[in-house]
């Protein structure tokens, strides 16, 4: 399970884990610092925000070639963050704030420890779940009406599996990036998996927008989406050449997050 559905919304589990960990950490900091003139939770929230900004900056620098404009660098909707940098920045900021506000030392350390432990435990559980996921042996239909097994479409290469629908604006915006990957990286299998639309609708959309994808599959019953727990679109799953799941990206891809996902399949 990679996401949770609440009504029409599909929420990625990694984001939920971070949210829950932060809320618990802020709650612990506020509780421990009760009676103090300044709330430790406010300081801890500031540390988190600044650390995330550092993580974003390092991510942008790592994938600078993937950004064409300053706006793309500032657009955080792709959720491109360097996690290691974020954690290191948070630790440095925590140390400086403890030095500056010794009366809040216990509260700050307690809140930060709670956040880190909860997030680490949740991430470890999620990682163990992902390691059990492989390219599914599920039979689907191609645009030509033939039957094809998803796992066989990989052809022994790393796979970028994009779950999309023609009515989804973010799906439409990211398609040129995926098409470019297909054209520029023949050692990567790009599989476009349409979610619960008719063959006629899919073929017409791709034809009208001149999107010549080599591997298009129809998930008419949503079997693949349910199998991976990727219940919203767009969702992109990255698989290594051995078929094991390496990473998942929910929401619209940027060139940078697409490249980051591909990099995980090669490691």
């Amino acid at each position: 399970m990679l996401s949770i559905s609440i009504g029409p919304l599909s929420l990625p589990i990694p984001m939920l884990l971070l949210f829950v960990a932060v809320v618990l950490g802020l709650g612990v900091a506020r509780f421990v610092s009760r009676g103090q003139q300044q709330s430790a939770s406010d300081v801890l929230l500031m540390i988190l925000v600044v650390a995330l900004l550092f993580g974003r900056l390092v991510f942008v620098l790592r994938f600078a070639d993937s950004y064409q404009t300053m706006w793309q660098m500032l657009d955080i909707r792709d959720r491109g963050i360097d996690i290691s940098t974020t954690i290191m920045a948070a630790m440095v900021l925590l140390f400086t704030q403890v030095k500056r506000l010794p009366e809040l030392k216990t509260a700050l350390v307690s809140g930060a420890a709670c956040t880190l432990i909860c997030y680490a435990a949740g991430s470890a559980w999620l990682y163990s779940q992902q390691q059990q996921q492989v390219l599914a042996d599920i039979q689907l239909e191609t645009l030509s009406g033939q039957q094809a097994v998803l796992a066989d479409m990989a052809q022994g290469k790393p796979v970028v599996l994009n779950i999309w629908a023609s009515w989804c604006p973010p799906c439409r915006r990211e398609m040129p990036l995926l098409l470019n990957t297909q054209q520029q990286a023949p050692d990567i299998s790009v599989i476009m998996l349409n979610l619960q639309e008719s063959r006629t609708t899919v073929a017409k959309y791709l034809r009208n927008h001149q999107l010549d994808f080599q591997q298009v599959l129809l998930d008419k019953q949503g079997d693949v989406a349910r199998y991976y727990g990727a219940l919203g679109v767009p969702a992109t799953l990255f698989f290594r050449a051995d078929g094991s799941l390496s990473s998942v990206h929910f929401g619209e891809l940027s060139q940078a997050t697409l490249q980051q996902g591909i990099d995980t399949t090669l490691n």
Side-chain angles (χ1 to χ4, degrees), residues 3-147:
S3 65
I4 295 176
S5 291
I6 302 176
L9 298 177
S10 181
L11 302 177
I13 288 181
M15 290 186 63
L16 288 175
L17 286 175
L18 179 59
F19 177 77
V20 170
V22 169
V23 169
L24 290 175
L26 293 177
V28 168
R30 180 177 290 274
F31 177 78
V32 176
S33 66
R34 66 192 186 283
Q36 295 286 342
Q37 187 174 9
Q38 185 173 5
S39 173
S41 61
D42 293 340
V43 178
L44 204 58
L45 184 59
M46 179 274 295
I47 290 173
L48 175 64
V49 171
V50 175
L52 286 171
L53 290 175
F54 270 104
R56 176 63 179 183
L57 175 61
V58 170
F59 178 86
V60 168
L61 292 175
R62 282 180 57 197
F63 296 98
D65 292 343
S66 299
Y67 293 100
Q68 304 299 319
T69 65
M70 181 62 69
W71 165 245
Q72 290 179 342
M73 295 180 181
L74 297 175
D75 186 1
I76 62 173
R77 288 177 297 177
D78 67 356
R79 296 193 294 276
I81 299 287
D82 189 278
I83 298 299
S84 298
T85 299
T86 300
I87 294 174
M88 291 178 61
M91 294 177 64
V92 171
L93 291 167
L94 177 64
F95 177 79
T96 59
Q97 291 304 307
V98 166
K99 287 290 186 180
R100 188 176 71 88
L101 302 167
E103 68 277 10
L104 295 179
K105 176 181 178 179
T106 301
L108 290 173
V109 173
S110 299
C114 177
T115 300
L116 183 60
I117 291 172
C118 291
Y119 183 70
S123 297
W125 170 80
L126 184 61
Y127 178 78
S128 68
Q129 296 297 306
Q130 289 189 2
Q131 292 305 297
Q132 300 174 26
Q133 299 278 17
V134 295
L135 201 58
D137 191 20
I138 296 177
Q139 187 165 287
L140 299 163
E141 187 176 325
T142 68
L143 277 182
S144 62
Q146 298 178 338
Q147 298 299 305

Side-chain angles (χ1 to χ4, degrees), residues 143-232:
L143 277 182
S144 62
Q146 298 178 338
Q147 298 299 305
V149 176
L150 179 60
D152 294 341
M153 303 289 285
Q155 302 173 344
K157 304 175 184 178
V159 171
V160 177
L161 176 65
N162 182 257
I163 303 175
W164 67 284
S166 64
W167 49 261
C168 163
C171 300
R172 297 197 295 263
R173 288 195 297 266
E174 69 184 11
M175 279 191 167
L177 298 177
L178 293 159
L179 183 60
N180 183 66
T181 297
Q182 173 188 280
Q183 295 169 343
Q184 301 299 322
D187 55 335
I188 302 290
S189 288
V190 177
I191 302 176
M192 304 299 294
L193 183 74
N194 179 268
L195 184 62
Q196 296 179 316
E197 292 187 288
S198 70
R199 189 192 319 164
T200 302
T201 298
V202 174
K204 181 179 179 181
Y205 176 81
L206 296 176
R207 181 174 61 254
N208 289 345
H209 291 81
Q210 298 180 336
L211 295 167
D212 186 22
F213 287 105
Q214 297 174 0
Q215 301 186 95
V216 180
L217 296 175
L218 307 178
D219 189 6
K220 292 184 176 180
Q221 305 302 319
D223 294 334
V224 174
R226 282 194 299 272
Y227 180 84
Y228 291 113
L231 304 176

